[in-house]
Amino acid sequence: MARNLGIGLLLMITVVSIQVQSKRSPNIDSVCLGNMLRLSIGPLKGKALEVDAKNASHILALTPNLASKCGFSVKMDSMGNAMVFASLQNCFVQNSDDETFTTVTYLRLKGNNITNDETYAVEKTCTYTPWAFREILCDRNYMEVSVRRTVLDNPLPEQSNAKSYTNLGRFRRAANRKTATASGYSVTTVVFTIPEQRVMKIDQVQRTGYGITNTPTRLVLRSPLNAPEMFFQNVAGVPMAVLKTSTILENTLLSTQIDSSVACPTPGSVSFTPNMITWSVPRRIDPLVSSCNFQLKEVFLGVEGMRLSPGEVMARRYSLSLNKMHIILQIPVGAVGGYFKSHVKNGQYLTTYSIEPMLEILWTEDDPPKDTRYKVLFPITTPFIISPLQLVDRIVPEEGVFKVELGTFLQDVELINITFLDGVLSVAECNDRGFNIEELSFPNGSKSIALTVPFTDRAVLNKMDARNVIYTLHMVFGLVVLPEYSSFTYTAVTEVSVKGIVPAYITGTCDHENFHVTVKSGNQVQNLRIVVGQRLLTPEIAEQYRIVTEGAHIFITVPFYAPDTVFEVIESSSIRSKLHVSLRDPVTMNIQHFSLSCSFLSALTECFANGTIAAVAAKIESVPSMIPSQLTLKDSACGPAYSDDRIARFLFTGRSCGTTRQFISSVMLYENEISLPSKPVAANGVQMEEPQYMLKVFCYYMVNATHSAAFLTNPRNNDPHVHTTRSQLQVIMRLAQDISYNLFQEMEEFPLVMNLREPLYFEVEVEVPMNSDPRVVLKLEYCWATLKEDRKSQPRWNLIINGCENTEDPFQVVFHPVSADARVQYPSHFKRFEVQMFSFMDEDNPSYLVYVHCDVVICDDKFPSDGLCSEQCVNKKTKGQRRAFSEGDSTEHVTSGPILMFK
Ligand SMILES: *[C@@H]1O[C@H](CO)[C@@H](O)[C@H](O)[C@H]1NC(C)=O
Ligand SMILES: *[C@@H]1O[C@H](CO)[C@@H](O)[C@H](O)[C@H]1NC(C)=O
Ligand SMILES: *[C@@H]1O[C@H](CO)[C@@H](O)[C@H](O)[C@H]1NC(C)=O
Ligand SMILES: *[C@@H]1O[C@H](CO)[C@@H](O)[C@H](O)[C@H]1NC(C)=O
Ligand SMILES: *[C@@H]1O[C@H](CO)[C@@H](O)[C@H](O)[C@H]1NC(C)=O
Ligand SMILES: *[C@@H]1O[C@H](CO)[C@@H](O)[C@H](O)[C@H]1NC(C)=O
């Protein structure tokens, strides 16, 4: 992927941000480290790093193959930082006289969204002059040797060496075609010793993945660590990767060979104990330093390519030692300079510790004088360290919560969710439910996760025995390791036993006719005895009530009138009843009391449509000695129709047992009272002190003016639950078939078809329940006819005005007296009148519908208003004036019809 770029565009700039979209750019740093260059970039914030390198004309993406061929390596750590190492002699460098080296790279950060990708150009120039005769660089992915080219020092004798290079002739012929370099020599051939010899032309060498550069003064050969011509050799007991090569350079006249062998340590040079990393490097690396009179001049220790001072080495507790054979570096696991990383393998949480130490060694040889600088950047990662997770209980039972800590994790672990017995909750959902998830960080950089779950939460199971409550919490923690999102789980069950007795408790409510008591048993459920009222709740008694047991709850339903309740207050339409429940623990002798009082609407008094009144009196708590059978109505001859030890039931009518009656506005009120007969006088003449018992019994009959318009329908109350003390005064208008008033038109016959001038016989009755009361008097006040059902509609023909016939009508209404007979018990409840249809004649229509309406007055004959109520039309003088009614009187309206009239 090569593209051309304007040359010189970036030459003078050290770090140029080409594209910065995120607000916080990563930190970018570049540093020259001897024969290397190091770029740092981070944090990457989860993005991938790609590196491009640029030579004078091209920009190329550094693939792993190109990186190892060209002298680049990239290192990532678990904190999301990256380092790019480059050999100063990398194949993209702009090399000025082997003294200054300029490298241009592009660091590209790629996320999921291409629009957020960032690219940073880094140009770094390093100066490095103390080149040793030979410089060897071992990096994580390549080994590099750079040898001073003293071509003429080491001419390849045409004849003498022919024995060694048996195959060379062929290559020399080919090499002759090469053009010379500036110094006149170019690399033509590389001879690999594996240990058998393999000779390769320069093109093939490069195709195979080797990098070969001929700089002004040096020859550089670079090999990937997995090169086919590389082999392993045990050097002083340390396995090394070795590439033995001779590079042949030629000009038109001469050829020369340069030893370009290189050897680097392999992972086998490291050994681990749980706490210590030991890395051994041979003191003398035979393939490189064969002469016996070599000297180890310098050893430097560093990390990530940078030398450390002896003080730093000590502070970090690294140790560097030499013995006869080895240079030995020891690094404690966890030491500064490295980092831990989390892993998941087979569902297990593991960690590793990684560090990248650097050794720089300088050897010298005397004869001929050659120095070799040897630099190894050596990434070491420990084997998996089992890091057992632990759930630590920090429960304080008194606080009523589970407090657990799961740990310890590295920072690269994240809790995703927790599965409880009742489902999976994300961390956010846990916090919403009050579980308060926290991360606790430790000074060493690890952390644990703390969780609080109340004992009362539904995720918590509880079991009870006589002495303890055992709370159990099941959890499966769902965790991931970042950035790779490998998931793992940790399953835990924690249990706490809370000592002591958990008391039972009782709560209760009422509905319209029952007490509902809930007993929540504590841990004493086996022994618990429940007493309802005065009785122990035995299975026999339990049968009388509805008892449901659900877990630790017992639900008891008791009707308000049940024998175990007591009545506190009795009113005409309600009764306040009380239920007492106690819990007894025979072991601890604990008794808990609970009582609940509620008012229940109750039909203690019933007023039946036929005038019968039923009333119930009940024994109340405050009159414990009352004997219900002794109760009477006002008329002490009227005793209960039924009685037992708690209640007495009375049946009477509006006319019996001393019942009084009065009109109050539009209500007729019947009244009686239930009481104990007068107390007998004690021997000493003092009335016995006994609380009075007096229950008033009322029956109201509402006079509902607008609702009584039903014509010819018997007021049938289909509802068996008559409103306790109210009934409706019903006024009915009927149409008789003839003047005998024995037979009436049926409802279904309407509309009636009548001929003009045919008389119509109307009867109006005030019905139930007053037909049992002869004192009620009905009077017709106004009657009229309309063509529409609406009684207020026009036109309107007046028939009866103010109780008297309309004198302006040529065919006046005729009133008919009513006398008692089989059907009529109390004539005062009735009125009858006759009207001729001629009255309604309309000139234009051959037929029409007619409705007849009446306003009626119901009054009391005991208090006749001006004595007018009993008679229909007493005083014609009052005609035209509205008669004054007494307070208690009430007015009603009735309507009949329709009647279809024909001319
Ligand atoms: C830059 O790299 C390209 C691709 O490897 C190569 O063809 C070109 O010759 C190089 N240019 C220089 C000036 O080294
Ligand atoms: C990529 O990021 C841009 C800018 O932040 C945003 O508008 C766009 O919706 C994102 N596209 C996707 C596929 O997420
Ligand atoms: C870090 O500290 C915690 C708490 O002291 C300890 O439990 C944990 O093992 C330590 N982790 C490491 C890696 O040393
Ligand atoms: C819970 O988290 C884990 C990650 O450890 C994941 O694999 C699993 O799908 C999550 N479960 C639910 C229901 O989200
Ligand atoms: C009145 O009606 C009630 C309820 O329907 C009934 O129990 C009672 O016997 C009736 N009384 C008479 C006198 O008909
Ligand atoms: C009277 O009749 C009206 C209309 O039907 C009704 O809404 C009202 O409840 C009745 N009143 C009584 C006291 O029955």
Side-chain angles (χ1 to χ4, degrees):
M1 191 188 74
R3 50 204 148 138
N4 290 312
L5 195 96
I7 296 168
L9 178 67
L10 298 159
L11 281 186
M12 301 310 292
I13 311 162
T14 306
V15 175
V16 179
S17 167
I18 290 186
Q19 193 185 9
V20 182
Q21 288 207 338
S22 75
K23 279 176 199 136
R24 279 182 41 225
S25 314
N27 296 319
I28 296 176
D29 183 37
S30 58
V31 57
C32 303
L33 301 167
N35 57 2
M36 295 192 87
L37 160 69
R38 187 180 81 182
L39 311 177
S40 316
I41 179 166
L44 305 183
K45 289 175 287 184
K47 293 186 173 178
L49 173 67
E50 291 181 359
V51 184
D52 295 349
K54 175 180 172 288
N55 67 11
S57 58
H58 287 72
I59 296 177
L60 290 183
L62 287 177
T63 60
N65 286 342
L66 190 62
S68 57
K69 181 177 182 177
C70 284
F72 287 87
S73 70
V74 179
K75 163 184 182 280
M76 300 279 191
D77 70 17
S78 69
M79 284 76 74
N81 299 306
M83 286 181 176
V84 179
F85 294 91
S87 160
L88 283 195
Q89 303 176 96
N90 69 75
C91 42
F92 293 88
V93 79
Q94 293 163 45
N95 178 342
S96 176
D97 297 328
D98 284 335
E99 284 181 1
T100 57
F101 302 85
T102 302
T103 305
V104 179
T105 53
Y106 297 91
L107 306 179
R108 286 188 284 127
L109 299 187
K110 294 186 74 171
N112 298 330
N113 185 340
I114 194 161
T115 59
N116 293 334
D117 288 355
E118 303 159 38
T119 302
Y120 302 91
V122 183
E123 175 174 329
K124 181 71 175 175
T125 300
C126 296
T127 304
Y128 183 70
T129 51
W131 288 104
F133 169 78
R134 176 165 55 182
E135 303 241 345
I136 287 172
L137 189 55
C138 298
D139 202 345
R140 62 183 60 229
N141 53 339
Y142 65 89
M143 33 198 204
E144 178 188 280
V145 57
S146 159
V147 186
R148 190 177 303 142
R149 210 179 53 230
T150 51
V151 174
L152 297 178
D153 293 351
N154 202 9
L156 184 68
E158 286 284 332
Q159 305 304 323
S160 63
N161 272 358
K163 193 170 51 169
S164 310
Y165 300 98
T166 47
N167 293 324
L168 260 182
R170 191 157 57 92
F171 291 98
R172 291 183 63 189
R173 284 192 300 277
N176 285 336
R177 295 195 297 274
K178 290 272 168 194
T179 49
T181 62
S183 60
Y185 285 87
S186 61
V187 180
T188 58
T189 310
V190 178
V191 180
F192 297 90
T193 307
I194 316 182
E196 79 281 5
Q197 286 185 342
R198 187 179 295 172
V199 181
M200 257 189 241
K201 287 193 293 182
I202 180 67
D203 325 43
Q204 196 192 348
V205 169
Q206 279 174 336
R207 274 205 308 278
T208 309
Y210 297 101
I212 286 207
T213 319
N214 206 5
T215 75
T217 61
R218 303 179 75 84
L219 174 76
V220 185
L221 184 132
R222 200 175 297 107
S223 161
L225 277 184
N226 55 359
E229 285 73 28
M230 195 195 80
F231 61 93
F232 293 96
Q233 183 177 334
N234 195 314
V235 181
V238 177
M240 307 279 291
V242 179
L243 186 73
K244 264 193 168 159
T245 55
S246 239
T247 304
I248 297 171
L249 298 95
E250 295 178 25
N251 68 8
T252 46
L253 298 173
L254 291 168
S255 52
T256 183
Q257 68 165 345
I258 295 176
D259 178 7
S260 45
S261 293
V262 57
C264 287
T266 63
S269 58
V270 187
S271 65
F272 301 95
T273 67
N275 299 316
M276 190 62 74
I277 299 169
T278 304
W279 179 32
S280 305
V281 177
R283 201 171 162 151
R284 190 180 75 165
I285 300 174
D286 292 336
L288 306 178
V289 191
S290 45
S291 145
C292 284
N293 72 45
F294 84 97
Q295 274 190 304
L296 180 63
K297 274 283 172 96
E298 292 173 358
V299 178
F300 288 103
L301 173 58
V303 164
E304 289 166 347
M306 188 175 281
R307 285 185 189 173
L308 295 172
S309 70
E312 285 172 310
V313 171
M314 279 224 327
R316 294 176 174 208
R317 298 182 296 123
Y318 304 166
S319 96
L320 187 64
S321 58
L322 291 172
N323 63 22
K324 241 176 117 182
M325 303 288 283
H326 298 113
I327 301 165
I328 298 161
L329 173 62
Q330 288 200 300
I331 299 175
V333 171
V336 177
Y339 60 89
F340 284 102
K341 160 104 191 73
S342 300
H343 304 270
V344 178
K345 193 156 189 261
N346 300 330
Q348 193 180 11
Y349 178 66
L350 303 163
T351 56
T352 52
Y353 171 78
S354 297
I355 189 163
E356 185 162 327
M358 175 189 76
L359 269 184
E360 275 186 273
I361 301 165
L362 182 68
W363 286 290
T364 58
E365 287 165 87
D366 294 341
D367 187 25
K370 285 180 196 165
D371 52 350
T372 299
R373 198 182 304 280
Y374 188 77
K375 185 183 220 173
V376 196
L377 272 60
F378 196 66
I380 298 173
T381 294
T382 63
F384 286 128
I385 302 167
I386 295 170
S387 310
L389 296 177
Q390 277 189 316
L391 190 81
V392 182
D393 278 338
R394 303 200 190 279
I395 304 171
V396 184
E398 296 74 54
E399 291 178 19
V401 293
F402 282 100
K403 278 189 181 171
V404 295
E405 283 173 29
L406 178 64
T408 55
F409 302 106
L410 301 178
Q411 294 292 340
D412 57 2
V413 172
E414 201 168 288
L415 176 67
I416 301 297
N417 57 40
I418 306 177
T419 307
F420 295 99
L421 284 183
D422 65 330
V424 187
L425 297 183
S426 69
V427 171
E429 289 164 339
C430 285
N431 284 326
D432 288 349
R433 196 152 136 189
F435 293 172
N436 191 33
I437 294 181
E438 280 182 315
E439 277 192 3
L440 311 175
S441 289
F442 301 114
N444 63 12
S446 61
K447 67 179 180 186
S448 58
I449 292 163
L451 168 72
T452 305
V453 177
F455 291 165
T456 52
D457 191 89
R458 60 183 182 276
V460 178
L461 294 179
N462 62 59
K463 274 202 309 268
M464 284 178 263
D465 61 26
R467 294 271 163 256
N468 302 295
V469 189
I470 296 148
Y471 297 98
T472 311
L473 179 61
H474 293 256
M475 298 159 280
V476 180
F477 293 83
L479 302 138
V480 294
V481 171
L482 300 177
E484 58 266 34
Y485 285 94
S486 40
S487 63
F488 64 106
T489 57
Y490 181 85
T491 302
V493 178
T494 183
E495 205 171 74
V496 62
S497 170
V498 177
K499 279 213 183 334
I501 290 161
V502 178
Y505 67 86
I506 315 175
T507 56
T509 57
C510 297
D511 64 14
H512 61 287
E513 55 183 13
N514 295 299
F515 293 99
H516 297 281
V517 175
T518 303
V519 176
K520 175 152 196 222
S521 46
N523 53 358
Q524 305 295 298
V525 67
Q526 305 306 331
N527 302 315
L528 201 65
R529 289 164 162 226
I530 302 174
V531 177
V532 177
Q534 300 297 318
R535 301 189 294 171
L536 185 66
L537 192 66
T538 58
E540 298 77 57
I541 292 176
E543 261 172 34
Q544 297 172 17
Y545 302 129
R546 214 165 61 236
I547 299 197
V548 177
T549 305
E550 265 176 28
H553 292 87
I554 302 167
F555 302 97
I556 306 170
T557 301
V558 176
F560 77 89
Y561 50 80
D564 293 308
T565 65
V566 289
F567 299 133
E568 289 186 313
V569 180
I570 290 178
E571 287 164 342
S572 56
S573 61
S574 76
I575 183 162
R576 201 158 90 229
S577 180
K578 187 167 82 175
L579 179 66
H580 186 263
V581 176
S582 58
L583 301 177
R584 291 169 199 209
D585 182 340
V587 177
T588 62
M589 302 304 286
N590 263 356
I591 300 183
Q592 278 189 73
H593 295 283
F594 172 79
S595 62
L596 179 64
S597 291
C598 292
S599 281
F600 298 92
L601 282 178
S602 169
L604 287 178
T605 305
E606 279 185 281
C607 303
F608 292 109
N610 59 16
T612 299
I613 298 169
V616 173
K619 187 168 174 167
I620 57 172
E621 207 184 9
S622 56
V623 191
S625 62
M626 185 188 93
I627 299 163
S629 63
Q630 292 176 349
L631 291 167
T632 68
L633 289 164
K634 257 187 190 163
D635 179 346
S636 58
C638 290
Y642 165 84
S643 68
D644 62 19
D645 59 343
R646 296 182 89 211
I647 62 158
R649 183 174 158 88
F650 294 86
L651 278 174
F652 55 103
T653 72
R655 284 175 298 142
S656 64
C657 297
T659 311
T660 59
R661 191 231 28 207
Q662 65 189 106
F663 280 95
I664 302 170
S665 166
S666 60
V667 162
M668 265 176 42
L669 174 65
Y670 291 84
E671 191 177 336
N672 206 319
E673 60 197 37
I674 300 169
S675 60
L676 287 170
S678 309
K679 291 284 149 331
V681 174
N684 57 9
V686 178
Q687 183 110 13
M688 304 257 292
E689 292 266 334
E690 176 72 26
Q692 276 295 315
Y693 183 90
M694 165 84 78
L695 177 65
K696 290 237 180 232
V697 178
F698 299 100
C699 270
Y700 297 91
Y701 289 90
M702 300 298 294
V703 178
N704 194 334
T706 53
H707 204 245
S708 51
F711 182 71
L712 272 184
T713 50
N714 273 316
R716 223 182 303 116
N717 204 332
N718 290 325
D719 183 357
H721 300 290
V722 179
H723 196 284
T724 326
T725 55
R726 288 175 181 175
S727 197
Q728 196 167 297
L729 193 65
Q730 196 72 43
V731 180
I732 290 168
M733 181 149 64
R734 301 185 187 92
L735 196 54
Q737 290 180 2
D738 57 42
I739 196 165
S740 70
Y741 284 94
N742 282 328
L743 294 171
F744 295 88
Q745 306 290 354
E746 294 297 325
M747 192 65 184
E748 302 78 55
E749 296 169 47
F750 284 82
L752 282 182
V753 180
M754 302 298 282
N755 290 319
L756 274 183
R757 279 187 223 92
E758 215 178 305
L760 295 173
Y761 301 98
F762 287 98
E763 178 185 271
V764 181
E765 181 192 357
V766 55
E767 227 190 19
V768 290
M770 264 62 71
N771 62 1
S772 60
D773 187 343
R775 296 165 298 183
V776 171
V777 176
L778 169 85
K779 194 190 162 213
L780 300 174
E781 197 182 14
Y782 289 92
C783 291
W784 67 97
T786 59
L787 297 176
K788 293 182 189 142
E789 198 172 357
D790 180 2
R791 56 197 294 276
K792 290 184 183 144
S793 65
Q794 294 291 344
R796 152 179 178 143
W797 292 272
N798 286 327
L799 306 176
I800 295 171
I801 298 175
N802 219 347
C804 295
E805 54 273 43
N806 178 9
T807 50
E808 284 160 25
D809 193 332
F811 299 89
Q812 286 186 12
V813 159
V814 178
F815 291 105
H816 294 294
V818 185
S819 49
D821 59 22
R823 196 172 68 82
V824 176
Q825 196 180 358
Y826 301 108
S828 65
H829 294 183
F830 293 82
K831 284 288 178 289
R832 290 173 182 165
F833 66 92
E834 175 190 333
V835 65
Q836 285 206 22
M837 283 301 98
F838 183 76
S839 322
F840 307 130
M841 174 146 156
D842 180 318
E843 306 297 338
D844 302 331
N845 285 326
S847 67
Y848 49 90
L849 290 172
V850 164
Y851 296 83
V852 176
H853 312 274
C854 288
D855 284 353
V856 303
V857 175
I858 295 151
C859 39
D860 187 343
D861 70 350
K862 282 259 179 67
F863 312 97
S865 326
D866 306 330
L868 299 182
C869 196
S870 51
E871 298 294 328
Q872 178 57 41
C873 182
V874 175
N875 190 347
K876 301 225 167 152
K877 279 184 282 177
T878 62
K879 190 180 66 182
Q881 290 172 15
R882 196 179 163 82
R883 185 180 60 84
F885 287 97
S886 71
E887 270 297 293
D889 295 347
S890 69
T891 309
E892 286 245 10
H893 311 288
V894 280
T895 296
S896 82
I899 304 163
L900 183 62
M901 308 304 286
F902 276 99
K903 282 185 189 167

